[in-house]
Amino acid sequence: VINTDGVLNIWDFFHRQNEVAYTHKIGSAALSSIGIQGNSQVGGKLVAVGDVNGAVSLLEVCDSLARPQHNEKVGMNNMLEREMRREKNLEVRERELKRAKALEEERAKKTS
């Protein structure tokens, strides 16, 4: 993730979903683009980051952040599916609460 304060944050959702795995201050200008060498199968150790002034920085990340770990894809898919189910359940619950509130308001109008 690139930021307007010139900081690059690298996340590793397989190990920590709620914390940044690595933070690096690129410069003082807002970062505007990022490119990673490689693909999801082989990973990519080289990361190019551009800022709004046109400067480009090239970083090399460690193997554990660049290459997929054993069972990482399966684990990530499981986590995303779990979160999608949770989100759907929350949406259903929200609709049920709205219906219950509307029914309660309707009953209150009839009795008044």
Side-chain angles (χ1 to χ4, degrees), residues 39-102:
N39 59 44
S40 62
Q41 302 302 317
V42 297
K45 288 189 74 158
L46 297 178
V47 179
V49 181
D51 67 24
V52 294
N53 297 329
V56 177
S57 300
L58 187 63
L59 301 141
E60 184 176 359
V61 297
C62 63
D63 283 338
S64 65
L65 292 174
R67 296 201 174 20
Q69 304 298 310
H70 179 68
N71 288 333
E72 184 173 358
K73 187 174 182 178
V74 171
M76 287 298 299
N77 283 336
N78 290 340
M79 181 191 73
L80 292 172
E81 286 177 17
R82 206 172 35 249
E83 287 301 310
M84 286 190 311
R85 282 193 304 271
R86 185 175 85 75
E87 188 173 313
K88 286 180 183 177
N89 289 338
L90 289 172
E91 288 172 357
V92 167
R93 179 71 177 139
E94 183 179 7
R95 282 195 304 267
E96 289 172 352
L97 289 172
K98 284 181 181 178
R99 271 193 221 123
K101 184 178 179 182

Side-chain angles (χ1 to χ4, degrees), residues 13 18 26 62 87 109:
F13 285 116
N18 58 351
I26 303 295
C62 63
E87 188 173 313
K109 286 180 184 177

